[in-house]
Amino acid sequence: MSTRVEIPADTSAAAKGTAPLIAVSGHGKGGYKRGLAIFDVVLRLGAVAATLAAAAIMGTSDQTLPFFTQFFQFEASYDDLPTFQFFVIAMAIVSGYLVLSLPFSIVAIIRPRATGPRLLLIILDTVALTLNMAAAGAATAIVYLAHNGNSGANWLAICNQFGDFCQKSSGAVVASFIAAVVLLVLIVISALALRKH
């Protein structure tokens, strides 16, 4: 018992050109962009923590020396210096921006090939980095003067007397520089995600 199957032989040129092709779906490209987007969200959460810590530490940095009289009280507080006030406000603004940018970063996970959210993030991250560095640089100068003073201008170092105040303000400045590095990495990630290939 044998079964015979007949296949019609269509030898026209049109029939030969319609063979189904195996299409590559491009999951590799979308995969690495999705991975960058997930890393972006994690870094944004880290930057939120760093900027919030910087603002909170600087905002609570004050110290009153234990010896004071009825007429004189020696106190150091962040709101005595406009530079530190600017620092707290700038860190709060950057932290608020980073929280508000999280939905756009999540959109980049869902749609890794979308360029609109990435372009918006790279522009606004650059503005946030600029504000962060301006505040960190200004606060660094004041912290340096608090630690070392300036003999040419007869400014005395106050950290010998106000040790807790100087430790807190130095910690806030370090946290702001950590946030600046994270923002810089976020900008690089967005630039890599915007690449065509």
Side-chain angles (χ1 to χ4, degrees):
M1 222 173 170
S2 68
T3 307
R4 186 174 178 186
V5 177
E6 291 189 23
I7 301 173
D10 189 7
T11 59
S12 67
K16 288 182 182 178
T18 59
L21 296 176
I22 299 174
V24 179
S25 62
H27 286 296
K29 188 188 299 185
Y32 98 87
K33 287 190 176 187
R34 183 168 283 122
L36 285 176
I38 292 170
F39 190 51
D40 184 278
V41 170
V42 171
L43 283 178
R44 278 183 197 283
L45 291 173
V48 167
T51 53
L52 273 178
I57 291 170
M58 185 66 81
T60 58
S61 64
D62 60 346
Q63 182 179 2
T64 304
L65 294 182
F67 57 91
F68 58 90
T69 65
Q70 184 178 5
F71 302 106
F72 295 107
Q73 184 175 359
F74 298 103
E75 180 184 8
S77 178
Y78 88 96
D79 55 0
D80 293 335
L81 298 162
T83 304
F84 285 170
Q85 291 176 351
F86 168 65
F87 180 87
V88 171
I89 293 168
M91 289 298 108
I93 289 171
V94 171
S95 179
Y97 157 71
L98 287 167
V99 169
L100 293 175
S101 70
L102 281 171
F104 293 100
S105 191
I106 291 170
V107 166
I109 294 174
I110 297 168
R111 300 185 55 190
R113 294 177 193 240
T115 58
R118 281 283 176 204
L119 190 59
L120 180 66
L121 285 175
I122 198 168
I123 292 168
L124 294 178
D125 285 349
T126 305
V127 172
L129 176 63
T130 304
L131 181 61
N132 189 346
M133 285 304 297
T140 301
I142 299 300
V143 168
Y144 176 81
L145 285 175
H147 280 282
N148 301 317
N150 186 337
S151 59
N154 288 328
W155 292 339
L156 301 175
I158 65 166
C159 286
N160 295 333
Q161 292 81 24
F162 297 99
D164 291 342
F165 173 76
C166 288
Q167 279 185 338
K168 283 187 172 184
S169 57
S170 297
V173 169
V174 169
S176 70
F177 278 112
I178 290 171
V181 170
V182 173
L183 279 168
L184 186 62
V185 173
L186 286 171
I187 291 169
V188 171
I189 287 175
S190 292
L192 287 174
L194 283 173
R195 288 178 55 197
K196 291 292 183 188
H197 48 49

